[in-house]
Amino acid sequence: MREKITDDITRDQFWQFLVGIPLLAMLIWLVIGRVLRPLADLVDEVERREDNLLTPLHVDHVPHEVKPLADAFNSLLERLALVFDHERRFTADAAHELRTPLAGIKTQADVAIRATDDEVRNKALHQIKHGVHRMDHLVGQLLTLARLDPETGRLTPQPVDINDAAAFTVAQLENAALDKNIRLDNRLQSRCRIKGHQQMLEVLVRNLLDNAIRYTPKGGRVSIATEDAPQRVRLTVEDSGPGIPEQAREQVFQRFYRHLETAHQQPGSGLGLSIVERITRLHGADIDLQTSEWGGLKVVVEFPSLASRDGA
């Protein structure tokens, strides 16, 4: 009797498994397929998407467990779209800015070739030299700006003294100040240490000091100073030039922007303050444009001090 009951139970269980397992597997396959269909649609959308299409993906029906990944991917697409748009505009602006000095050099070269008068020829050659100098400055600024982002990812911030960068730049630009009879006040403190990149800091100080000297009239004043304040290191560059009106101070950090009232006074590329703003951002610093005590421009850059960063 026990053997018969055992055989009956075994036979019943066998048929249940034989029929139930395939049905259960089919049911599981249908349910999983239905649940993961939005994910498959998302994969198809990514595969069909063109390389230059960076609009966000449709994630309304994506499974809850996958939605954070899809949202992060959309956030990456948005950042890439901003970067590509920024680079497209930068390339277009750079091409336009380079075209202007090239056209001027070509025109003056034609004048020099056709000139029969030595005075006319010499004047044309002088203009060619001026155009080449302007183009050299512009290309240098463009290369500096293009180099900032790639180098940031490879360079590790190191403890540096901002006075070293400032003193090196002052020594480079002293002759330019003397040529215009500008009084260059050097008020650098003995020790102002921050965490950053020495070469980038030199570029920052050079752009600020070069702008101050170029826009300050002959016989004017330019000052560069550093201060080791609590938790902050302050770099200040001020001049007795025309300054920048308060309503235009936000725009001067845009690439290739030049204020109309000062653009005619000195040749330039409109990239100097854009480079300065980028370097300050990379160092976690703040930049503020003010009016100097002589009525010109005063630029104040505040870096986190080395002690405050180490404490953080």
Side-chain angles (χ1 to χ4, degrees):
M1 182 65 70
R2 285 197 300 270
E3 290 177 356
K4 184 178 182 305
I5 293 173
T6 301
D7 292 341
D8 291 342
I9 292 174
T10 302
R11 185 171 54 254
D12 291 342
Q13 292 294 327
F14 174 77
W15 285 109
Q16 288 178 12
F17 278 110
L18 186 63
V19 176
I21 288 179
L23 290 175
L24 183 62
M26 184 175 292
L27 180 62
I28 292 174
W29 180 75
L30 291 173
V31 170
I32 292 178
R34 183 178 181 84
V35 171
L36 296 182
R37 175 58 62 81
L39 188 58
D41 294 339
L42 186 64
V43 172
D44 291 339
E45 183 181 353
V46 173
E47 290 179 346
R48 293 194 306 266
R49 178 166 289 219
E50 297 180 1
D51 295 340
N52 59 350
L53 184 60
L54 296 175
T55 55
L57 301 172
H58 299 91
V59 296
D60 297 337
H61 303 291
V62 173
H64 178 71
E65 294 78 7
V66 186
K67 197 170 186 304
L69 177 61
D71 290 339
F73 187 73
N74 277 342
S75 177
L76 174 62
L77 288 178
E78 291 177 358
R79 294 197 301 271
L80 286 175
L82 288 174
V83 170
F84 289 158
D85 180 64
H86 186 68
E87 292 306 319
R88 279 193 296 269
R89 288 187 286 108
F90 173 71
T91 303
D93 291 340
H96 177 268
E97 291 293 325
L98 288 171
R99 190 179 298 116
T100 301
L102 280 174
I105 292 172
K106 181 181 178 181
T107 301
Q108 294 300 328
D110 290 337
V111 172
I113 291 172
R114 297 173 183 174
T116 56
D117 185 2
D118 289 342
E119 184 178 352
V120 174
R121 183 184 297 108
N122 290 335
K123 184 177 180 180
L125 291 174
H126 179 76
Q127 291 297 324
I128 291 174
K129 181 180 178 181
H130 177 74
V132 170
H133 177 74
R134 178 186 174 191
M135 193 168 178
D136 177 67
H137 176 73
L138 175 59
V139 171
Q141 295 285 65
L142 288 171
L143 291 176
T144 298
L145 201 57
R147 195 171 61 238
L148 286 179
D149 288 333
E151 285 193 352
T152 305
R154 296 196 298 265
L155 296 177
T156 303
Q158 300 290 335
V160 295
D161 193 332
I162 196 171
N163 287 321
D164 294 339
F168 176 76
T169 306
V170 169
Q172 284 186 318
L173 297 177
E174 273 182 338
N175 288 335
L178 288 174
D179 290 342
K180 296 180 66 176
N181 195 27
I182 291 175
R183 176 180 171 183
L184 181 56
D185 295 330
N186 185 341
R187 294 180 286 174
L188 303 179
Q189 288 192 356
S190 58
R191 192 174 179 85
C192 292
R193 292 175 61 79
I194 65 172
K195 213 165 192 177
H197 311 282
Q198 180 73 22
Q199 293 180 344
M200 289 188 185
L201 291 172
E202 290 175 3
V203 171
L204 179 146
V205 178
R206 184 169 64 248
N207 275 280
L208 290 178
L209 201 55
D210 180 63
N211 277 354
I213 293 173
R214 284 196 295 117
Y215 286 99
T216 297
K218 292 182 178 181
R221 295 186 63 178
V222 173
S223 169
I224 179 170
T226 55
E227 180 185 358
D228 191 7
Q231 304 298 315
R232 308 288 284 180
V233 169
R234 185 177 296 114
L235 169 70
T236 304
V237 177
E238 54 184 323
D239 58 63
S240 59
I244 298 175
E246 190 171 349
Q247 63 272 17
R249 289 176 183 174
E250 291 295 328
Q251 295 173 288
V252 295
F253 294 115
Q254 299 175 9
R255 293 175 177 179
F256 303 107
Y257 175 85
R258 302 192 69 202
H259 186 56
L260 292 176
E261 294 181 8
T262 56
H264 67 280
Q265 298 180 11
Q266 289 290 334
S269 61
L271 289 173
L273 287 178
S274 178
I275 292 173
V276 168
E277 191 270 341
R278 179 61 180 151
I279 295 175
T280 57
R281 214 157 11 106
L282 292 174
H283 285 79
D286 298 320
I287 183 169
D288 185 29
L289 303 184
Q290 304 172 8
T291 302
S292 74
E293 60 179 303
W294 309 304
L297 180 65
K298 178 179 181 180
V299 183
V300 180
V301 184
E302 290 192 342
F303 300 88
S305 68
L306 186 61
S308 67
R309 284 205 170 192
D310 291 343

